C-alpha cells in the first residue's frame, strides 16, 4: 500500500512500537502481550502470515518460543526479537524468489510483494 511506500525507517520503528502497545494495552500487563493479544496482533497485522486455522494452531508454539523468560507474556524485548526474525525470514524469502540470481535482486518476501 502507499502507506508502506512512504514509510521511512524512523516511521517504521514508530509503527513497530505503537503496534505493540495497541495490543499490549488491551488487558493484563499493559507492557506485555498475552496469548490472546498476540493472536490478535498476528491475525490483524500479519494477515499474510496467519491465513487459516492451521496457521493459528502454530501461535501457541510460536508464543512459547518467543517467551524466552517463560513468564507467559511477550514483553517488548521478546516482541522486538520476533520482528527481527520476521525481517530476516522475509529477506531470505526475497532472495529465494529473486528474479536474477546472479545479481542482488529481490522477489516477493513473506508479506507477499
Ligand atoms: Zn537482499
Amino acid at each position: 500500500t502507499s502507506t508502506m511506500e512512504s514509510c521511512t525507517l524512523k516511521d517504521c520503528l514508530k509503527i513497530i512500537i505503537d503496534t505493540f502497545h495497541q495490543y499490549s494495552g488491551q488487558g493484563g500487563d499493559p507492557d506485555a502481550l498475552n496469548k490472546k493479544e498476540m493472536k490478535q496482533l498476528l491475525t490483524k497485522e500479519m494477515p499474510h502470515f496467519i491465513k487459516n486455522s492451521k496457521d493459528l494452531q502454530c501461535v501457541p508454539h510460536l508464543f512459547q518460543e518467543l517467551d524466552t523468560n517463560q513468564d507467559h507474556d511477550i514483553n517488548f524485548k521478546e516482541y522486538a526479537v520476533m520482528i527481527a526474525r520476521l525481517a530476516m525470514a522475509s529477506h531470505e524469502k526475497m532472495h529465494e524468489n529473486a528474479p536474477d540470481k546472479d545479481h542482488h535482486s529481490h522477489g516477493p518476501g513473506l508479506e507477499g510483494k
Side-chain angles (χ1 to χ4, degrees), residues 91 95 104 106:
H91 188 209
H95 279 274
H104 190 186
H106 289 168

Side-chain angles (χ1 to χ4, degrees), residues 16-89:
I16 287 171
I17 295 164
D18 287 349
T19 303
F20 177 81
H21 283 295
Q22 190 186 326
Y23 292 90
S24 73
Q26 287 182 5
D29 187 338
D31 285 313
L33 298 164
N34 59 32
K35 254 187 198 131
K36 195 178 149 216
E37 290 166 338
M38 183 67 168
K39 202 156 123 182
Q40 279 183 343
L41 183 148
L42 290 170
T43 313
K44 289 187 188 160
E45 307 295 331
M46 309 289 292
H48 304 79
F49 201 61
I50 307 283
K51 288 184 292 283
N52 50 47
S53 56
K54 198 170 159 274
D55 292 335
L56 263 183
Q57 282 168 18
C58 300
V59 173
H61 178 75
L62 176 73
F63 190 94
Q64 215 172 21
E65 209 179 279
L66 292 169
D67 182 21
T68 42
N69 70 358
Q70 299 183 344
D71 68 348
H72 308 289
D73 268 333
I74 300 300
N75 61 32
F76 187 78
K77 195 175 165 185
E78 290 162 345
Y79 165 80
V81 169
M82 174 185 85
I83 299 293
R85 279 212 220 161
L86 283 170
M88 289 187 279

